[in-house]
Amino acid sequence: MRRLLLALPFALLTPAVAQAHEHDHDHEQGSLGAHEHGVAQLNAVLDGKTLELELESPAMNLVGFEHDARSDADKAKVAAVRAELEKPLALFDLPGTAGCKVTSQELASPLFGTDEQHDEHAKGHDHDHSEIHAHYQFECANPSALKTLDLAGLFQRFPATLKIQVQLIGPNGQQGAELSASNASLSF
């Protein structure tokens, strides 16, 4: 996946993690967070009219399993989840007044068979811990209408996702929060 705005700022958010990375060069440590069922990570950057969102989640949270989809039922479940992830305006419930349009989106997971970015990482790596990565970029005609990042739709569609650890950079600076279905929004 291309890294656009997200390439730069997130090392600033967690200096302790950054220091740990200096001492541990294992590629596994470079992901957004540890693989923990029920927990996903979301990075969000609002820069001018551009909103960028990057979601990383264990496949278990979204499809209910992590093995390769072999049965027709499993394949149908993966296809349904992929279709949901391909509609980010529904998932992230951006206000219509913001006038946001999707300018790019990329999905990657071993389950989708489109995981070129992680092929190198996957060699010799057990697929029991399949991740799903979704990366979206929006252009918003009226970004001042983006008052909050509301993840209620995401929690409703994927109830096995219990917590989403959010790192957000917006006009008011950087913030981090752990959101849940009962506390699903964060102000920009």
Side-chain angles (χ1 to χ4, degrees), residues 63-100:
V63 296
F65 57 84
E66 297 190 325
H67 56 265
D68 290 338
R70 293 180 198 95
S71 71
D72 288 345
D74 284 356
K75 288 176 184 172
K77 181 70 175 166
V78 169
V81 166
R82 184 169 188 162
E84 294 266 19
L85 292 171
E86 287 173 346
K87 293 183 241 161
L89 289 170
L91 279 182
F92 295 105
D93 195 26
L94 302 174
T97 51
C100 296

Side-chain angles (χ1 to χ4, degrees), residues 75-158:
K75 288 176 184 172
K77 181 70 175 166
V78 169
V81 166
R82 184 169 188 162
E84 294 266 19
L85 292 171
E86 287 173 346
K87 293 183 241 161
L89 289 170
L91 279 182
F92 295 105
D93 195 26
L94 302 174
T97 51
C100 296
K101 293 187 169 34
V102 180
T103 55
S104 75
Q105 66 181 34
E106 297 176 64
L107 302 175
S109 173
L111 296 181
F112 298 155
T114 57
D115 197 22
E116 296 115 26
Q117 179 202 357
H118 292 95
D119 277 351
E120 188 178 315
H121 172 65
K123 284 176 191 149
H125 189 268
D126 193 344
H127 276 290
D128 288 347
H129 291 301
S130 294
E131 302 278 334
I132 293 177
H133 299 260
H135 186 211
Y136 308 102
Q137 186 171 332
F138 308 85
E139 284 297 315
C140 301
N142 182 21
S144 62
L146 290 171
K147 303 292 186 204
T148 59
L149 180 63
D150 186 352
L151 304 183
L154 223 149
F155 284 112
Q156 285 169 0
R157 284 173 176 78
F158 303 115

Side-chain angles (χ1 to χ4, degrees), residues 27-51:
H27 183 72
E28 179 81 3
Q29 296 294 320
S31 66
L32 292 178
H35 184 99
E36 186 181 344
H37 291 174
V39 180
Q41 285 80 36
L42 179 72
N43 290 333
V45 178
L46 178 58
D47 183 19
K49 293 187 171 191
T50 303
L51 173 64

